[in-house]
Amino acid sequence: APGTRPVTFAVNGGPGASSAWLNLGAIGPWRVPLGGVLPSSPPAVVDNLETWLDFTDLVFLDPPGTGFSRVTGGDDARRGMQTVDGDIRMLASVVSRWLQAQGRLASPKFIVGESYGGFRGPKLARALLDQQGVGVRGLVLVSPVLDFNGRDAPWDPMRWVARLPSVAAAARGATGRAGLRDVEEYAAGDYLLDLVRGEHDADATARLSARVAALTGLDPALMRRRAGKPDFGAVLRERDPGRVGSPYDATVTAADPFPSAANDNSPDPILDGLRAPLTGAMLDLYRTRLDWQPEGAPARQYVLLSETLAREWDYGHGNSRPEAMTELRQYVALDPAARVLVVHGLTDLVTPYFASKLLLDGVPETVPPGRVELRAYGGGHMFYSRDASRQALHGDTAAMFGSAAANVPDRAAAPTR
């Protein structure tokens, strides 16, 4: 029923990641059980009881340089697609052409994006409307980066404010925000005030160092040396000597191959650990269950995650880093039927949930409550590796889709010109 059956376009992040993460980790018809999987584990695939096919069709997009996708127009075309704006124009064109070819222009349309894909989401919705004349009913942004400004600035106090609740969540084993209320209030209150007083204020530094150590379980002497700023080294290597954690989930650790080195040169237990199982599973699915191979296979390489593409990515935008909050606000302001669900893992240090909360709290009262919602689950960047969190994501997303379908306003309530 193309007039009523939703279709959802799924894209991952990186930049440089294929859509296998969302496909086999969370929402596709089959999944790889990610908990405890080893690099040498066989590509075991099971039916996904939480597949989103329950309530939407799914189209997985692998941008050029990921999966089996390639650029055929030469270096100029490739460089044009490896920019913030060029990437969005390309994706909008692909989505529009797919909808026309499949006769699905009348279907309710949704976008789900993970990590940098979550950053893509609001921009893609705006580009589809402005460049292709295609409206999007809802966005699901999984572990997104909504604003790159200040994200990698070590002297910006908001960097530490955003990260502190996730560090505490890892220490407490938190699976919900209810157990982190005290940390959230402190982070956005006294912690921020003491940070902006600066390290010349010895009393402020002593206060925040002691409080951060108490909230996170980190060594008080270490926090005094770091002036109460829990950097990746403190969180991932100092908590459990001899082991190193993943910034994608501070509760996941592996043996530290260089425990005496000053700088961490360890493989990431999540990104590197899942590379072979996910790649093998995708190749096996293509060959067996889907019975499809690209031209030139098997010599043609499947790229799960391209570090080269990530290094070469052009973020542009002059003196400022790109952000997607402008497009997110425009998106929900323009279409009263639009819905946005932002979902995070509590122990993710790469895209901490509290950073999104601070940004979403700034959405003005002119946008009615319920149009933009934030959910945080147990786990890290790929929180869906946990059964309870994947189930919660399925339920919250199904509810959002239902809300988006049920709350289409009367024409009288729509903007006029």
Side-chain angles (χ1 to χ4, degrees), residues 130-185:
D130 296 343
Q131 300 169 17
Q132 304 292 337
V134 172
V136 174
R137 181 63 55 83
L139 307 175
V140 182
L141 311 180
V142 179
S143 305
V145 179
L146 296 175
D147 188 352
F148 281 92
N149 287 290
R151 170 181 163 81
D152 297 317
W155 315 119
D156 186 346
M158 295 307 297
R159 178 188 189 191
W160 309 107
V161 170
R163 185 182 295 171
L164 183 60
S166 290
V167 177
R172 297 179 178 186
T175 58
R177 284 181 60 196
L180 297 168
R181 297 299 183 194
D182 60 324
V183 188
E184 292 185 6
E185 292 175 3

Side-chain angles (χ1 to χ4, degrees), residues 89-153:
R89 284 193 298 270
M90 175 271 299
L91 289 172
S93 174
V94 169
V95 169
S96 177
R97 287 188 285 118
W98 188 94
L99 290 167
Q100 294 178 60
Q102 302 300 322
R104 298 299 297 271
L105 285 168
S107 300
K109 304 159 200 70
F110 293 79
I111 295 168
V112 55
E114 180 180 6
S115 195
Y116 188 88
F119 168 79
R120 283 168 162 147
K123 290 182 172 293
L124 180 54
R126 286 293 297 164
L128 280 166
L129 182 63
D130 296 343
Q131 300 169 17
Q132 304 292 337
V134 172
V136 174
R137 181 63 55 83
L139 307 175
V140 182
L141 311 180
V142 179
S143 305
V145 179
L146 296 175
D147 188 352
F148 281 92
N149 287 290
R151 170 181 163 81
D152 297 317

